[in-house]
Amino acid sequence: QVHLVESGGGLVQPGGSLRLSCVFSGRTFGRYTMGWFRQAPGKEREFVATISWRGTRTSYAASVQGRAFISRDNAENTLYLRMNGLQPEDTAVYYCAADENNVSGGVAVVAEAYEFWGQGTQVTVSS
């Protein structure tokens, strides 16, 4: 069974940066497409970023394009999300997710593609 644990959230001032981490355990990390999603209060969960098995392909939501950078360290079984220029509208619970059925080794931008989810880490952007 895959287990995902996010960390790195917290309170950040507008314009600030942070790096979220997601530690993967239970299976072979390097065979999973990974993604980050977020859910703000009163809103549906939305896609943020995704990365392929080997990290050679990535995709981002338009709302974070140019400010977010997803990466992975397959040797350390860890997924990262670096976000710069944070704004209050980035406030949300951020979740990492794992897709074990992406046989092409590509990316996945819809939540329904992911079988495993972490518990989330809160990011609050406020002055």
Side-chain angles (χ1 to χ4, degrees):
Q1 182 73 5
V2 170
H3 191 51
L4 303 171
V5 179
E6 302 96 335
S7 63
L11 177 63
V12 183
Q13 290 191 340
S17 300
L18 55 71
R19 188 179 77 163
L20 305 181
S21 300
C22 172
V23 176
F24 176 107
S25 62
R27 298 278 174 84
T28 303
F29 180 58
R31 295 304 304 271
Y32 284 73
T33 291
M34 299 296 296
W36 286 99
F37 290 75
R38 66 186 182 184
Q39 187 167 19
K43 295 187 177 181
E44 294 187 354
R45 188 172 298 189
E46 66 173 359
F47 166 74
V48 176
T50 178
I51 189 167
S52 60
W53 295 352
R54 298 178 181 177
T56 55
R57 294 179 60 187
T58 59
S59 182
Y60 298 91
S63 58
V64 302
Q65 184 76 45
R67 300 190 297 123
F69 301 92
I70 188 171
S71 61
R72 64 191 298 162
D73 184 337
N74 286 352
E76 296 294 330
N77 294 340
T78 304
L79 175 73
Y80 300 100
L81 180 70
R82 171 81 178 179
M83 291 194 67
N84 302 321
L86 286 162
Q87 298 301 320
E89 53 264 35
D90 294 313
T91 294
V93 178
Y94 284 70
Y95 299 90
C96 70
D99 172 12
E100 69 176 358
N101 292 318
N102 198 320
V103 296
S104 67
V107 295
V109 302
V110 295
E112 291 75 14
Y114 293 86
E115 293 79 28
F116 304 101
W117 294 81
Q119 292 300 305
T121 185
Q122 175 71 47
V123 173
T124 302
V125 184
S126 175
S127 56

